[in-house]
Amino acid sequence: MDEVKIQRRRALGAIMLTGAGAGASLVAVTPAPAAAQQSADTLQQVRNRGELRIGTPPGEPWFFKDQRSGEWKGIGWGAGVALAEELGVKPVAVETTWGTAVAGLQAGQFDVLFAMDATPQRALAVDFPVQPMFYYALGVLARDGLAAKSWSDLDKPDVRIGVVLGTSPDRELTVRLTNAKLERFPNIDEVGAAFVSGRVDAVSLFHPALVMLRSRVKRGTVLLPDPVRAASTSAGVRRDVDKSWRDWVGIAIQSLYESGRIQKIYEEFLAFRGIDPKEAPALVREQWSRT
């Protein structure tokens, strides 16, 4: 019996040791990118490689792959091409998803991902320039005849507004509109179908997504009611000890914004998708009063 107990203890010890090793490896995996980042400067890597690797999670109007030509288009891709031109390197698309984008940056799979919002959670893992890339606003796609110059115009018991459950518009309008009837749907496709069928009078999303929805449903008007609720987006980069890459990307995207080039990139994509840019609110917030 003593021998059996000894064998069991040895087996248990082996299991515990294996488990500890696995746990240790898991702990090591998380900070591993940071350790790698200490010995590598992304800006220098981009120059040495002669390529700017751009993370491209599909989703309009940020990143769109033309299935006929295989070419990438969209606001994020256009910004990447512009920065690659500044550096004199080739832009290279690295397909990813929004859900795995942070891990991809940490692992060095790509050098930058444009149109990534700087959230507190993401900022624990990757870096963001302090300069905003562009702005978008919470708006509505309103049915014909529905006045929506201000949010108070919509805050009426007979106004039905569709939102995607759990999103920023859902949370915002729950607080802002206490009289209107909010109809919640699991995704944009379903809220769009409700708008087409007349089950809701308006749909609330951030305005670039509203513009794309308007192009699909072929009805309604995209509006930014007063007071405008603005949010900015940024670009995610790997966390290097040397902040040269983060700082340069920040200066570069600020230049795209202030020169109007980011707006031009947006308008070119809208035109490519058959949308009149004049019907879409700008990405430059200084122009919103004129839209």
Side-chain angles (χ1 to χ4, degrees):
M1 291 296 295
D2 290 342
E3 181 63 26
V4 171
K5 289 181 179 179
I6 292 172
Q7 291 177 358
R8 285 179 177 173
R9 287 175 181 172
R10 287 176 177 173
L12 179 60
I15 292 171
M16 292 176 66
L17 182 60
T18 303
S25 67
L26 287 174
V27 172
V29 166
T30 301
Q37 289 157 15
Q38 293 179 5
S39 61
D41 171 10
T42 300
L43 179 57
Q44 191 59 50
Q45 286 185 359
V46 170
R47 287 172 165 166
N48 292 344
R49 194 187 309 117
E51 294 179 345
L52 174 60
R53 301 172 305 169
I54 304 163
T56 54
E60 297 184 71
W62 325 118
F63 298 96
F64 174 79
K65 189 173 185 179
D66 186 344
Q67 298 302 319
R68 292 172 297 181
S69 66
E71 296 180 354
W72 283 91
K73 299 180 183 296
I75 302 169
W77 176 252
V81 170
L83 266 62
E85 290 175 355
E86 290 287 345
L87 291 168
V89 298
K90 178 183 177 182
V92 175
V94 179
E95 293 196 46
T96 185
T97 67
W98 290 111
T100 60
V102 168
L105 282 169
Q106 286 184 309
Q109 295 173 0
F110 42 89
D111 306 308
V112 62
L113 198 152
F114 297 99
M116 173 180 270
D117 292 355
T119 66
Q121 191 64 31
R122 287 171 174 168
L124 293 172
V126 296
D127 275 350
F128 295 91
V130 297
Q131 300 88 338
M133 182 178 173
F134 58 82
Y135 294 84
Y136 40 42
L138 186 63
V140 293
L141 175 62
R143 63 167 172 75
D144 295 337
L146 178 62
K149 291 184 178 180
S150 68
W151 288 106
S152 60
D153 292 332
L154 297 168
D155 195 17
K156 301 174 182 177
D158 60 343
V159 176
R160 303 160 301 171
I161 303 175
V163 294
V164 177
L165 178 65
T167 60
S168 294
D170 181 7
R171 294 189 295 271
E172 177 82 11
L173 297 192
T174 297
V175 175
R176 178 173 286 184
L177 305 184
T178 57
N179 296 310
K181 184 177 181 182
L182 296 187
E183 300 283 356
R184 296 172 174 85
F185 299 88
N187 54 58
I188 291 178
D189 289 340
E190 291 197 28
V191 76
F195 181 74
V196 170
S197 67
R199 290 169 55 196
V200 297
D201 303 299
V203 172
S204 183
L205 300 165
F206 284 103
H207 81 263
L210 286 174
V211 170
M212 303 313 300
L213 178 60
R214 168 65 180 80
S215 74
R216 293 198 298 271
V217 302
K218 309 296 184 185
R219 65 184 67 189
T221 304
V222 176
L223 302 171
L224 304 182
D226 291 323
V228 174
R229 195 280 201 189
S232 63
T233 192
S234 186
V237 298
R238 192 178 63 159
R239 177 164 293 158
D240 293 340
V241 172
D242 184 331
K243 302 302 181 183
S244 298
W245 177 238
R246 180 201 66 184
D247 294 346
W248 184 85
V249 170
I251 292 171
I253 62 175
Q254 182 179 31
S255 177
L256 291 181
Y257 182 88
E258 294 180 347
S259 68
R261 186 166 181 184
I262 197 70
Q263 177 64 24
K264 183 179 179 181
I265 291 170
Y266 179 42
E267 292 177 356
E268 288 173 347
F269 179 73
L270 292 176
F272 166 73
R273 297 296 280 160
I275 302 170
D276 184 354
K278 294 179 182 179
E279 297 180 356
L283 297 180
V284 178
R285 65 177 178 177
E286 292 80 2
Q287 297 181 16
W288 288 348
S289 61
R290 303 194 298 271
T291 57

